[in-house]
Amino acid sequence: MPELIRLTIDGRSVEVEPGTLVIEAARRVGVKIPSFCYYEGLSLAGACRMCLVEVEKMPKLQTACTLVATPGMVVRTDTPQVAEARRAMVEFLLTNHPLDCPVCDKGGECELQDMAFRYGAAESRYLEAKHHVPEQQWSPVVFYDRPRCILCYRCVRVCDEGMGVGALGVVNRGGRSEIAPNRGDHLECDECGACIDICPVGALTSGMYRYQTRPWEMNHVGTICAFCADGCKTTLGVYHDRIMRGNNRDRSGLNGEFLCIKGRYAADFPHHPARLSRPLVRQDGELRPASWLEALSLVEARLREALAAGSPIGVIGSNHTTNEENYFLQKFARQWLKTNHLDHQRTGDVPALASALAGREGTLASTEDLYTARAVLVVGADLAQQHPLLSWQIRANWRHHRARIYVVTTGPVREDRYAARSVRVEPGGELEGLLALAEALRAEPDLVILFGDAIQGEDVARLVAFGDSLGIPVKYVCLVDYANSRGAADMGLLPDLGPGYQPLERPGMTLEEMLECPDLAVLWVVGANPLIGRQRPPSRFLLVQDLFLTETARLADVVLPAASAYEKDGTVTNVCGEVQRLRKVVAVAGVKTDLEIFSLLACRMGFQKDPVGWETVLREIADAVPGYRLSVPALLAGAPQRTHFASQASSSRRGKVRSARDTLFTSGTLGRFATILSQVREAPGALYRG
Amino acid sequence: MKFSEQTEARLARLIESRPPGHLRSALVPMLLFIQDEVGAITPEVVEEVCQRLGVSRRDVEEVVSYYSMLRRKPAGRYHIQICTNISCMLVGGAELFEHACRKLGIGHHGVTEDGMFSLEEVECIGACCWGPAMQVNYDYHHHVTPEVFDRLIEQLRDNGGKARER
Ligand code: SF4
Ligand code: SF4
Ligand code: SF4
Ligand code: FES
Ligand code: FES
């Protein structure tokens, strides 16, 4: 532990680690020094001069954001000279500013407004004509209004350093300086919107939100992103039951402020005109609208018939429904429908990892571990496209801690740029490619290995054996595709494993087998689209629950309109096995949550007396599922809870695992109904594009 | 793009002299050397520099738009830069610039029709003791009165460009 440095700020004594900046030291004792260009986690710019402070024995005011604390330093932030400097800086920043706050998207949450309010610069001595530049649209996502820009370069740095994209630059000089996109008049980038959110003023605005509403007119609800498996917390702004935008400015949740385009701007799918709002039943070969009563009675009758005849029933679960829904569905299937024909579209071989790591504590990497590990190995995945948050974490780890990154993929990836070693292999050669890295990895103090569907079945155990052979602590992440893919596996939506990967005596059919099986009386598909590009399966009755009339729903006998992740409460488990709370953001007329549907059916069929709520099921999960003994109160309060693999977890050897290979701009069915994803010119994106 | 042997040699020296991983720092001199030959930083030049240094187009655009000595359009055969900053202004720099405009029939950033001369009003060029100061390509001219200016122009014209060029 290096010796601490003691300094005085506004008469208060504070001790900080060597290397701490004065602006940070001040925050520790509750002194907030105003800043625009300073941004925690990004490189220093020293561009805005808002943070000027007085330091004893230094003749001129100093920028607190670039000044490193030294022993005995005496800093004052409350002198008339400092106040005058701040006032002058605000006046200076406002010289060319259009002062169009009444119509600016940022009005009400603008840092420049706040500074002007606090440090005052109501009067301007600037009489010259303001330099005007028309507003520019750079992409469907990003718009730039130069006159509002205060040239803090936050956007440039977050895109360069945070995103690893580097799409923004600064052109011209002095008062004519402006931010410019990488393709001259337009952007080609991740379209993540990080630059928009980080902009302290309204210079960068988003295609989704601009000129739609005022920040204070919205309700803000923090929930978990409905798209990929990384589990970012997104705070959705809601106006009149419509989702207007997503952001995470309070840096809460395991993603901090990170979000990709899907978490920020793809949240309009709940309001898509193609959304199902009434049950549909097939009559004379056509699907026609029906009441919930009629549809549920029909389903009940078919299930009762099948049970009475002892005919097999198949159930295909979802990668998007909550843990509670998944758990309840497997209970419904196994306990009440007496069937083990239960599966979901598996996108990563989590059961194999559960088996390989059974009984070992602390071998699952958390999202945080990706930021703190000394070394990270990526096997067979394009993280920047498929797991944007994990990619961000690893990049931050490299920037802040000089972590060493190793890559084994079949094509170039963004990680190559800062990787200690990148190995290119033929498809299927991933495990072998690893061997080339063994020596380098052995020299690392610790390691996190992330692997995609290139490693599955027996290969997962081989990968873990390779990890063991390194003689260093190794943690793993098995990459899966969607918001609750991990939860679907953990909750036992598998033909041969129950919740927590407990082996079953009589394994049922896999998804593929169910789709081919001619004897199924009922095939029940929940929030999945396995029939895309296929014929109707031979099962006698096909029940589908979904948001949209998917290819699978089109073939169904009954379609029940389901609520999306943004329309319900519950929990989901991310790719790293962290459980987080989903909160209902909006209500959509006509639909029911999948849990409501299951529960209503269970009541009708006499399996239970009263419908259950998600909290009841969550408590049951916490009691019954090995590895899920989590703190329910902490979870309800919004803290992610880590899970682990139980000691007797078993491996599923049945059925192939396949990632859907979504990119930044696709995401299965949901992606098709999120307007912005298809509008950006980079869509649909390419894997291994680098 | 391929440049003259002489320019290529300069560029090669430039790259050799950078420590590994610091190629980027060759950006400004590389742009200048190429501009000396091509006459301007054209889109093709930008592309070429990106490739040679492994930097992005954005990086090059930032630099080109920042430095006024880097041009997007070709200047005349003789690029005349007249200082009107304080020291020069006190001894007639501004008048010299106005005279030059009249004489050449062009303004700031203009090029004569025959492509022989171009004119630019610049800030201090570091010759304050000998103002009004002026630069023609890389040559300095001190104490430039309108008469001195006219004589120089005639000389350059007579020479038909045979005097020292860029
Ligand atoms: S949207 Fe994201 S990737 Fe695109 S310029 Fe902004 S920060 Fe960079
Ligand atoms: S656009 Fe916003 S973030 Fe970027 S430099 Fe201007 S004010 Fe700063
Ligand atoms: S990284 Fe994944 S979870 Fe995070 S915002 Fe993007 S799609 Fe959503
Ligand atoms: S915050 Fe210190 S100069 Fe901008
Ligand atoms: S002011 Fe003209 S050269 Fe310095």
Side-chain angles (χ1 to χ4, degrees), chain A residues 144 148-156 168 179 195 198-204:
Chain A
Y144 177 61
R148 290 180 188 156
C149 174
I150 58 167
L151 296 170
C152 66
Y153 312 135
R154 280 189 198 177
C155 53
V156 175
L168 300 176
I179 305 301
C195 51
I198 209 170
C199 179
V201 297
L204 290 168

Side-chain angles (χ1 to χ4, degrees), chain A residues 183-478:
Chain A
R183 291 288 178 267
D185 62 344
H186 71 275
L187 263 178
E188 265 175 58
C189 67
D190 282 7
E191 306 286 0
C192 65
C195 51
I196 301 172
D197 275 2
I198 209 170
C199 179
V201 297
L204 290 168
T205 52
S206 79
M208 182 185 194
Y209 175 69
R210 62 201 306 275
Y211 301 135
Q212 295 292 319
T213 175
R214 312 298 289 158
W216 56 85
E217 285 182 326
M218 291 185 289
N219 282 328
H220 289 94
V221 186
T223 189
I224 305 304
C225 171
F227 291 87
C228 92
D230 295 357
C232 295
K233 180 181 162 248
T234 173
T235 305
L236 299 176
V238 184
Y239 180 61
H240 286 178
D241 249 336
R242 279 190 85 85
I243 298 173
M244 310 303 291
R245 66 171 185 191
N247 65 28
N248 210 34
R249 296 301 297 151
D250 63 1
R251 293 184 164 201
S252 62
L254 39 77
N255 48 315
E257 69 203 295
F258 175 81
L259 286 170
C260 76
I261 181 173
K262 293 173 198 164
R264 278 201 180 87
Y265 305 122
D268 63 345
F269 67 87
H271 316 299
H272 197 281
R275 189 74 196 274
L276 294 174
S277 59
R278 296 180 68 183
L280 303 172
V281 300
R282 188 167 298 278
Q283 189 177 28
D284 307 326
E286 297 289 324
L287 282 172
R288 65 154 171 87
S291 68
W292 275 98
L293 187 67
E294 184 188 358
L296 287 177
S297 314
L298 203 65
V299 174
E300 180 193 345
R302 293 293 168 272
L303 287 175
R304 279 188 190 279
E305 279 165 28
L307 279 178
S311 320
I313 297 172
V315 179
I316 294 172
S318 174
N319 279 295
H320 288 282
T321 47
T322 64
N323 288 328
E324 294 70 32
E325 290 168 333
N326 293 345
Y327 180 84
F328 198 83
L329 180 63
Q330 71 80 35
K331 178 169 158 181
F332 201 126
R334 296 197 168 112
Q335 207 168 310
W336 297 328
L337 300 180
K338 311 280 182 224
T339 179
N340 276 334
H341 307 316
L342 178 60
D343 205 349
H344 69 286
Q345 286 181 314
R346 283 178 262 167
T347 57
D349 207 343
V350 189
L353 185 65
S355 156
L357 297 180
R360 297 204 217 171
E361 291 283 319
T363 45
L364 279 186
S366 65
T367 308
E368 173 74 15
D369 286 334
L370 294 178
Y371 177 62
T372 53
R374 303 315 316 274
V376 178
L377 166 63
V378 184
V379 187
D382 189 343
L383 293 185
Q385 288 281 326
Q386 296 175 302
H387 294 278
L389 170 62
L390 306 189
S391 175
W392 162 278
Q393 289 289 91
I394 294 173
R395 214 158 30 242
N397 193 1
W398 170 76
R399 273 183 7 254
H400 296 157
H401 310 136
R402 292 279 135 198
R404 278 162 308 278
I405 317 297
Y406 299 88
V407 178
V408 181
T409 54
T410 56
V413 291
R414 190 171 297 169
E415 280 70 32
D416 289 343
R417 259 180 270 153
Y418 34 90
R421 292 271 304 276
S422 288
V423 179
R424 284 293 101 80
V425 295
E426 290 300 312
E430 285 85 356
L431 259 188
E432 220 165 297
L434 279 182
L435 301 178
L437 298 174
E439 204 169 319
L441 294 176
R442 233 169 251 135
E444 297 292 352
D446 58 64
L447 178 69
V448 173
I449 303 180
L450 305 100
F451 62 96
D453 67 348
I455 308 285
Q456 57 176 282
E458 308 286 344
D459 283 351
V460 177
R462 287 194 196 107
L463 178 70
V464 172
F466 172 80
D468 291 344
S469 76
L470 298 174
I472 55 168
V474 182
K475 295 183 180 183
Y476 298 86
V477 178
C478 173

Side-chain angles (χ1 to χ4, degrees), chain A residues 156 160 166-174 180-185, chain B residues 24 56-69 72 123:
Chain A
V156 175
D160 248 348
L168 300 176
V170 191
V171 297
N172 305 333
R173 189 163 28 132
N182 58 356
R183 291 288 178 267
D185 62 344
Chain B
R24 193 192 161 86
S56 71
R57 202 175 105 183
R58 172 199 70 168
D59 297 333
V60 181
E61 294 292 342
E62 284 183 335
V63 164
V64 176
S65 64
Y66 186 91
Y67 290 108
S68 56
M69 284 161 158
R72 309 258 184 194
E123 305 299 333

Side-chain angles (χ1 to χ4, degrees), chain A residues 479-679:
Chain A
L479 299 170
V480 289
D481 283 2
Y482 300 118
N484 206 21
S485 290
R486 178 61 187 271
D490 285 358
M491 292 302 118
L493 296 186
L494 296 164
D496 56 344
L497 299 171
Y501 307 98
Q502 302 300 298
L504 302 175
E505 267 171 33
R506 286 176 303 107
M509 285 188 267
T510 63
L511 183 144
E512 276 301 316
E513 288 162 347
M514 285 188 262
L515 294 185
E516 302 296 334
C517 176
D519 308 323
L520 281 186
V522 176
L523 180 60
W524 184 358
V525 181
V526 179
N529 193 12
L531 298 181
I532 187 162
R534 296 176 73 131
Q535 302 282 316
R536 187 190 185 289
S539 64
R540 261 167 283 154
F541 182 75
L542 178 62
L543 165 62
V544 174
Q545 294 175 205
D546 213 314
L547 277 61
F548 298 100
L549 199 62
T550 59
E551 288 77 357
T552 302
R554 270 176 222 287
L555 301 172
D557 297 297
V558 171
V559 184
L560 301 177
S564 78
Y566 294 147
E567 295 145 41
K568 60 185 154 196
D569 287 293
T571 68
V572 286
T573 308
N574 78 350
V575 64
C576 294
E578 290 149 312
V579 183
Q580 301 186 85
R581 164 130 196 230
L582 210 61
R583 273 172 215 271
K584 180 170 175 171
V585 181
V586 284
V588 169
V591 304
K592 292 190 193 300
T593 68
D594 295 283
L595 186 63
E596 278 174 311
I597 299 174
F598 304 150
S599 193
L600 280 174
L601 273 173
C603 289
R604 294 181 70 100
M605 299 190 63
F607 299 140
Q608 60 176 21
K609 274 218 342 268
D610 301 308
V612 292
W614 70 277
E615 282 161 294
T616 313
V617 185
L618 173 63
R619 294 213 164 77
E620 197 174 325
I621 292 172
D623 281 341
V625 181
Y628 269 70
R629 297 221 161 80
L630 28 85
S631 158
V632 175
L635 186 63
L636 296 185
Q641 297 288 300
R642 294 177 67 165
T643 57
H644 62 272
F645 291 137
S647 52
Q648 57 295 46
S650 170
S651 162
S652 164
R653 294 267 183 268
R654 308 200 51 221
K656 271 280 190 193
V657 161
R658 206 183 116 70
S659 159
R661 298 199 159 58
D662 278 310
T663 68
L664 260 182
F665 309 108
T666 65
S667 187
T669 304
L670 280 194
R672 283 194 266 158
F673 295 94
T675 328
I676 203 105
L677 294 185
S678 54
Q679 284 176 350

Side-chain angles (χ1 to χ4, degrees), chain B residues 33-50:
Chain B
F33 292 168
I34 296 180
Q35 176 173 280
D36 284 347
E37 176 168 330
V38 179
I41 307 296
T42 60
E44 297 76 48
V45 170
V46 172
E47 201 43 55
E48 183 65 24
V49 170
C50 289

